[in-house]
Amino acid sequence: MHAKNQGDYPRDSSPKISFIQRHLRLVILWPLLALLLMALLWSAIYSKLANDKKLLQENAAKQAVSISKAYAQYLTRTLEQLDQLSQQIKYGWERSNGYLGFEEMADQGLLNIPQFASIAIYDENGVPVTTTIPVTETFTVTDRDYFQFHQKNVSSELRIGAPTIGRLSKKKIVQVSRRLENEDGTFGGVLVIGIAPEFFTLFSDDPILGHDGILAFVGEDGVERMTKVNDHYSDGLSLIPLPTAKNNGIADMTANVALLPSAQTHFITTQKINDYPFFVLVGLSKEDILLPYEDHHDMYRKIAIIGSGILFLFAAMAMWMSIRLAWRKQQADAIRETYRIATEGGNEGFYILLPMRDRNGYITDFQVVDCNEKGASFYNIDKEKFTGVKVSDFYSGSYFEKVMGAYRIAMETGFYEDDYPVPPESPIDAEWLKRKFVRSENGLAVTLRDISEPKRHEREMARLATEDGLTALPNRHWLMTYLPRALATAKANHTMLAILFIDLDDFKNINDTLGHSAGDQLLCTVAMRLRSVVRASDKIIRIGGDEFTVILEAIHSEEEAAHIAFSINQILREPFDISRDTTPQKNKIGASIGISIFPRDGQDVETLIKNADIAMYAAKTGCKGQFRFYDHTLYEDIKMRLNTEQELLQAVKEDQFLIYYQPRVQTLTGKLLGVEALIRWQHPERGLVMPNDFISLAEETGLINPIGEIVVDKVCAQLAAWIKQGVEVVPVSVNVSPHQFNEGKVKKMLAANLEKYAIPAKLLEIELTESAMMRNVGDIFDEITAINGMGIKVHVDDFGTGYSSLSLLQRLDMDVLKIDQAFTSQLGRGKDGEIFFTAIVSMAKALGMRVVAEGVETIEQLKILQTLSCDEIQGYYVARPLPAGDIAAVIHKQNLFP
């Protein structure tokens, strides 16, 4: 047999199989590596999804807090307006003793009826007295919670009830109510303002709440006043149980997001409303918030499945091909494809930048090596052309260095993120960008997102919260935020700061006579004039109504503040052109200004504002149209005035008044012809207080009306007592304030007292100052005519101190003219006094009036008056004012001359 050659034997396996045999370790490693990569891929996908979900939840929480804060600020202003409106209606109603109806209130500018579903006033029995909606059926509201609450609680605070069906409007309303009181402080009824729930969400017509967003207005009692789900108003929060003070501490919650355990469908946040027992509840739908997450979840899952399949295939191919470079290339291709799928479908611009360095390794520029379509669109360039460009191709100068500074920080720290306001020189067409830089090996991964719209919304919400809607000036909320920073700056710089508190004088007359539209026009003009006289650095704020504040920063002396205050007074004294019925009218007002200086008059905001207000009050009570600096004595004066006002109110309630009587006698014989009733205040601590010490305050506060009624009642009661005692009674004259005549109820009051005490009208006489006759001549004429018709004589008191005319005296048909003691005191000091007195007597005689000389103190004055044909005299020469018990003895005398 022949031996076989070696070449006849079968050859070894192919090189690929040999490679596998020689590198069996690598063959096993690739599947293991593939499994590891698949695990990492799935872990990264789910980590990314978890991070995305967390980010969406955090953004939703921030967004809910922002919305709740804005809505809370809106509701604060709304509640303040409702509070002020109800106080004005309450004041108008109580001041008119239940006479003033809503039509009169609307004419006086106290309310704007079309804003509300209904407004009604119910008396102490729950019966409607006056309403803005006609009452078509008989009903009471005694079963209503608000009526029972105000009936039992002596509080004038505003109450906002839960939504219910109004008995007047027949619609679902939120009832805002306030207690009304009688003159003696007892329960006098309830003011109810019925408001549609939509009124509390006028600002919220914004898609930011989402499809199923919730907006609620909740009280500390856990009861919602208004609930808005999506665009519909609900009877309650059916999706999310309302938090209460008991179950989750709503009373202690601030602006923190609270994800309620049972609120599985919404993100919830609450916000306390300042100064009111209410909260705002905002809920953002999880379905809306997490919608991008759900979309990405399916997409990433597909990506993970595809990636796992690719890795598995790659591992199989690596085992058979054993070519490391082919494996790496295929792996790079798979990763790049995954990157494309992940970045091209997003709303963010994505870039890969490589740094360009000089010899020393310093980064001088960056080059774009990759990007997505969205990233290229920020620069209005196609993706293919954008790849390869440098940062310096788009930026230059100082702006280039600013951009590079952010890139270098990211390269040094590994991460950089900010919200970036885009300057005008930037090639990117956006206002704000969200920038994120992440260092990746030797380059930067950059993402850009346009956040211009959310920023615009944020600015608008901030503007609405801090700007006065009428004048566009900053409002009180802005002032309380800005002033602490201004004080800190002044303290750090060792400079002074002045606060000017400005209150317009006689502004109410503009509103009452020309209407609120004219008043609004005047306020806007005042704002423009204030801007024209203050410095560019000064701040002007409208506090509310007709009150403004000016902050003067970085001043070095009082003179600077005084100069600006003087300029403000001067420019506001100039007439205002106010259009009414297309015809311009000239109107004059003024301003009273109070000034407090930091640090002299206070170290904090509250103290400085309070002291400026005190100084303004002092300026207004002294002489309108002036300015005053704060002085600590002003506080004591105002405190004393307020104390006196409270004591006077208590005196009215407790009837601490006495009536003294001063005789009036015939000039020639000294025969008693009548007495004048003069009030005295029997103060429990200060003793007997003279009228000069409290009558002016009573007129300013409106207490003169009840005091006048007390005087008439006491005088009529005394007349009845004298008659019963058999005293030959003489007429008694009573002083009536102009305020009482303005109310138009003098005749009714006199008639009621004459009937009550059954005394003849001829025994009661009325004294009215001539200055009072110049006000509302038509109304005064009607009242005096009616009083004369009752048989009551009317005296002109203190003649010569006011501004009256002969025609007015003749028209009013007065009976007695009482010449002021200032003219009587001049008798015997020269011929001028007698000449003037003679002229007055002649005028009075021509008008058929008797003349009484007041303040006669000497026998010399008496003798002169006897020669001047003066009919009657009154003064200390005859008798001082006497208590009622001494008058009977005086009446029995035939001659009262000493």
Side-chain angles (χ1 to χ4, degrees), residues 546-723:
D546 60 347
E547 295 178 342
F548 295 82
T549 296
V550 176
I551 302 176
L552 308 179
E553 299 183 70
I555 63 172
H556 300 87
S557 66
E558 283 189 3
E559 287 71 18
E560 294 182 54
H563 175 73
I564 293 178
F566 178 78
S567 300
I568 291 173
N569 269 331
Q570 291 299 110
I571 199 167
L572 293 183
R573 285 195 184 106
E574 297 179 8
F576 289 80
D577 289 329
I578 299 179
S579 299
R580 185 190 182 195
D581 300 330
T582 70
T583 302
Q585 292 188 0
K586 295 284 186 180
N587 292 270
K588 284 189 175 183
I589 62 169
S592 298
I593 304 175
I595 308 172
S596 63
I597 302 291
F598 170 85
R600 184 192 67 192
D601 299 330
Q603 301 287 330
D604 58 85
V605 173
E606 290 75 12
T607 302
L608 287 168
I609 291 178
K610 180 194 72 174
N611 291 342
D613 192 12
I614 290 173
M616 182 280 295
Y617 185 81
K620 185 176 287 290
T621 56
C623 181
K624 293 182 179 181
Q626 303 296 322
F627 67 87
R628 287 197 65 173
F629 285 91
Y630 172 75
D631 188 303
H632 70 278
T633 58
L634 296 177
Y635 176 74
E636 297 301 327
D637 293 341
I638 292 175
K639 182 179 179 181
M640 181 177 295
R641 176 185 174 88
L642 292 176
N643 289 339
T644 303
E645 182 178 338
Q646 292 299 318
E647 291 174 349
L648 190 58
L649 179 62
Q650 189 67 23
V652 172
K653 293 180 179 179
E654 298 178 359
D655 188 10
Q656 298 176 0
F657 301 103
L658 300 176
I659 305 299
Y660 276 54
Y661 300 88
Q662 186 173 29
R664 193 178 74 245
V665 302
Q666 191 175 48
T667 306
L668 295 177
T669 65
K671 179 182 178 182
L672 180 67
L673 299 179
V675 293
E676 179 182 358
L678 301 171
I679 190 171
R680 301 290 187 267
W681 178 8
Q682 185 62 54
H683 194 281
E685 297 177 359
R686 295 158 55 188
L688 204 61
V689 181
M690 295 296 104
N692 289 341
D693 295 331
F694 67 89
I695 289 297
S696 60
L697 178 61
E699 290 180 340
E700 292 177 14
T701 58
L703 291 174
I704 193 65
N705 292 331
I707 290 175
E709 293 177 2
I710 290 174
V711 171
V712 173
D713 183 82
K714 284 181 175 293
V715 167
C716 291
Q718 186 62 60
L719 283 169
W722 282 334
I723 293 173

Side-chain angles (χ1 to χ4, degrees), residues 510-521:
I510 301 296
N511 270 344
D512 293 344
T513 58
L514 301 181
H516 282 272
S517 60
D520 291 345
Q521 181 183 348

